Amino acid sequence: MNAKARVSRRDFLTAAQAAGALILGVRLGRPASVATLDNVGPSFSPNIWLSVATSGDIDIWLAKAEMGQGVYTALPMLVADELDAEWSRVRVLQADTKPQFADFLGTGGSSSVRSSWEPLRLAGAAARQMLIAAASTEWKVSAEECDTEPGIVVHAASGRRAPYGTLVEAASRLQAPSNPKLKARSHFRLIGTRVPRLDTPAKVDGSAIFGADVHVPGMLYAVIARCPVYGGTLASYDASRAKSVAGVRHVVPVRNTGVAVVADTTWAALRGREALELRWNEGPHANFDSSAASRMLDDFTTHSAVADVDDGNVTKSLETCHQRFTATYSTPFLAHEAIEPLNCTADVRQDRCEVWGPLQSSGAVQRDAAAITELPLSAITVHTTFVGGGFGRKWPVGFDFSSEAIFVSQAIHQPVQLFWSREDDMAHDLYRPPSRHVMNAGFDTQGHLVAWSHRIVAPSLRAQPFSDGKNDEDIRRGLDKWATEAPRNIGYRPANFRVDFVMAPVPVPVGAWRSVYAPQTAFADECFVDELAAACGKDPYTFRMELIGQKSPLHRAVLEKVAQKSGWGQPLPAGRTRGIAVHKYGDNETYVAQVAEVSVDQSGLVRVHRVVCAVDCGSVVNPGIVEAQMEGGILFGLSAALLSEITFAGGRCMQSNFHDAPLLRSPQAPEIEVHILKNNRHPTGIGEPGVPVIAPAVANAVSAAIGCRIRELPLTPARVKAAMEAKRKIPG
């Protein structure tokens, strides 16, 4: 969905008359009215946003996936505040793929709140206005004389009060307002407060339904044996031993890429898969390894690049400047490593298809199901469960986990729950692309920055065979603007400024990873700025503020806040150093600055003790959710900065589980402080922007601790110790 789409208020709203329920719908993302709603009785139907029942209870429908980021609470808060609902009577229901939700069933890009801020508030405001109109008509007073308290319409002059439930039938007969009046911010009751998350109780007591909790009568369980080398195909298989395993019901070839074993239990399916006799044609990439990928990326740094931004004359400025600095930074492949492995349940019948799963885009799954089953979209229903971490991996792409479940169910004519083990997930991920970043900067005789260039060398996400971006004009000329998005938004831009891209293909699939390319590019940008500060003999914070000047007040604001709250410039405990970084998250208008306090021991082990974070994400719906997302992003980014790397040999991923692809553990987690800047800007994204800043902040602190630069991630003890030893060998 285009998060920047702007439509008129009139086009946002429509109402349906119903006996016993007041129902409103809003269309997000494109200028069109909601289609005519189905006939709805007292029970709520999943093609609407809001239902007020005669009991006074309120149902709010959620068309985004709850992946831990808090939309299950934040989005209903928008509706409920404008409705002036009694929060304890609000129930949240997950939308499925009915036509009314077709435009907004994708969850990604930190877009949920910012794209829903006005539409969902308008839905609540319209309902409130209609309830007031119903009461004022009954009381024979002007609507302007009436107001609301949570769940009640009040007429102060007469003292009359009417609970919402008593007004439902009368309100349902009214015409929905085309231009409902939104509350002034000073009248918010819920927005901006720490409303407890609605999904927490169910996740604590175990009643929350995740993908693997789905059970359909008659359901079987399936796992798939896949070629261990990307691009390989199935040469032959013998299913006889697998079929002899107790509980195994079917063995099904899957599109020449693997073999599915279907059984009464997951355990039986896994044992049956182990018993399969398989022979693979490993294809042209059987010798691919990480060293080859590294050499290729290094070689491509000198290839012709395609510019995204090319202001002034960077080449001439660098040639004629007083001082020129250059550096190259490297980042590795990474896996998503969501705690919940991939899974999906499908039930394909002759005339319909139903799918359940932890999905970031149920709309995309519906379209895939239509292509596989050749059924019309109207015959396919997709239900989204809670998602145990997505980070971009649970957005359906190509013939992947959800498509596999649909294919297998269709083949055996029974409902199937397809399960990927952790090892399956790690070995067949859509990995975060590796990258190289060639940085150049030039200064004049007065020490002013006069030129800056950032060349990104990486595989393209949008050029993947399964991406709709492959037909994009930029992609055809070799530019992936997702990769260049963050660098073109730095706060230091001089008059001579260039960001360009070299597309470097790799023989394994790459995919969107939490905050996409921003962690790689921010690492390069913010570490390079630190190097420039050191070369100029200036404090890293002061140097950044001088470079930004008055060009970007929002960059300055988060830097000032984080410096103040971290005690920048004040003494630290012995053995600790600080590093600082700031970042604007793409075109999202979210600004984040972080300061990391670290220590480094003689073995090269980096310990992060404290992280102070300042964030400006515009208007805040729920401060507790913002803090949690920043904390989660910092910890997620720390795992990548200190521990994580995916390597290949013989065409195979060399990591299989958390023992050799570790995530940050609780004892390694730092103290984290989050400070939210308050303003009345439109809300921006919060699920991803905490990730990109932490790696450069930590790397800058490590460089301050050991007295030399490390330009490659992750900052493993071996890598840090090697840098320390190399420095000791340098004379002087």
Side-chain angles (χ1 to χ4, degrees), residues 14 132 156 173 224 255 273 280 302 304 334 336 382 389 403 449-450 490 512 532 573 587 599 702:
T14 189
I132 289 174
R173 293 191 290 270
I224 294 180
R255 290 197 171 186
R273 183 171 69 172
W280 302 105
T302 59
S304 177
L334 287 176
H336 291 81
V382 181
S403 298
L449 179 67
V450 295
I490 62 171
L532 298 177
D587 296 327
S599 63
V702 169

Side-chain angles (χ1 to χ4, degrees), residues 15 17 130 171-177:
Q17 286 73 34
M130 294 169 75
S172 297
R173 293 191 290 270
L174 300 177
Q175 179 69 37

